[in-house]
Amino acid sequence: MSEILVSGGRVIDATGERVADVRIVDGSVAEVDTGLRPSAGATVLDAEGCIVAPGLVDLQVHLREPGREDSETIETGARAAALGGCTAVVCMPNTEPPLDDAAVVQSVVERARAVDLCDVHPAGCITRGRAGRELAPLGELYDLGVRVFTDDGDCVADALVMRRAFEYAAALPGAVIAQHAEDPALVRGGHMHEGAWSARLGIPGRPAEAESTIVARDLQLAARTGGRYHVLHLSCAASAALVRAAKAEGVGVTAECTPQHLVLTDEACAGFDPSFKMNPPLREQTDVDALRAALLDGTIDAIATDHAPHAPETKDVPFEEAPPGMLGVETALAVVLTTLVEPGILTPAQALAALSWQPARVVGLDAAGHGGPIVAGRPAYLCVIDPAQQWVVEGAHLASRSRNTPWEGWKLTGKVRHTIYRGRPTVRDGVPTR
Ligand SMILES: [Zn+2]
């Protein structure tokens, strides 16, 4: 028998908040109560002054394996995720080769199991080779446990292909078609949000309508077919309004946005630093405000990072030549606590809902025990957060193999102290155990 006692924390989950110790026995929560005493030989994890929450669930990370192990591997990415408080992530299929085939998906599943730092759920491609033309073998991938299908990195632009994907997914319980919503014709040649800053900097833009027109079309196709739709990294006010209206009409849609889109604007590109380049691009303050409102009213279900590692030799190049994407999985919680919770925009429970139990529900991971609630009998996927710990982000010291963080030098308040995955600490006192 193995026992862990998480001692003295404030438990926050979907059912509410209470001060309690949590006893974990053989991988499951055994008792949640005050004044619990450790059994002989138990591991005691100090949670005094800390929040004890269900492990975080990140719906969008790029782990780059197979193919770009110079940027990230399943192991380094999963370790970064554990340090960020995650017990489950969904990894995107734009690897080399892409995850459009059962054998490749199976190899990622097996590698993740061997790494054993958090649950890694591969998303499968919507189309073969992510080419946007012919559907990937969705049923075969589904049989391997894949529930999220996306060509992320690229948008499925062909409306008929998208309609067929929705029709197929409608027959697979729990399957979700997730879109990187950017019309390729409208963003061609663009490197940042199209607006006053792109005009001033002389950088070709990617207009917000590139996203919202695709979202509008997809919502109509989802409504027609009954297929479930998830908007990846929703970034602009118009898309949020469309999702809000569709939800009100009962369309099966969910949406996520990233910490960077909730905090930064296109002005961040003014220094031509490629760390701030991503697709969809950082937008305007009105969009940031709209995303925050959408998160608060339930239009946006989840905060996901779009953790996109790029090796320094590929990312440290002129802005227009750099690939889009930024690190995020290790800093997301602290960025949210510092920029949204501390100023009172979100309560701790609202932040954790968007980082843990709501994303778990989007992809059905709640059934596997992710996202809590923290009660006896549930699997022990937990993170313990010290909300007062201050730290400074240094890309070179993150667990990721890459360093392209937009938060370099930011002083953040709030850090993961322990992460418990399958009843074992993967992070203890802020340090990875493996
Ligand atoms: Zn994307």
Side-chain angles (χ1 to χ4, degrees), residues 60 62 92 152-154 179-181 232-233 279-280 306:
Q60 192 185 170
H62 297 267
M92 295 294 102
D152 184 50
D154 290 303
Q179 177 74 292
H180 174 122
L232 298 165
H233 42 50
N279 294 343
D306 192 12

Side-chain angles (χ1 to χ4, degrees), residues 51-56 85-86 333 352 381-385 416 418-420:
I51 295 167
V52 180
L56 308 189
C86 291
L333 171 70
L352 291 166
Y381 297 118
L382 303 177
C383 73
V384 178
I385 304 152
V416 171
H418 316 293
T419 306
I420 299 159

Side-chain angles (χ1 to χ4, degrees), residues 254-290:
T254 51
E256 64 177 46
C257 66
T258 71
Q260 52 270 29
H261 286 108
L262 285 165
V263 174
L264 303 173
T265 66
D266 54 349
E267 187 180 351
C269 302
F272 297 96
D273 180 347
S275 300
F276 297 101
K277 180 177 181 180
M278 73 172 295
N279 294 343
L282 299 171
R283 304 234 186 245
E284 301 176 18
Q285 190 60 45
T286 48
D287 297 301
V288 169
D289 295 341

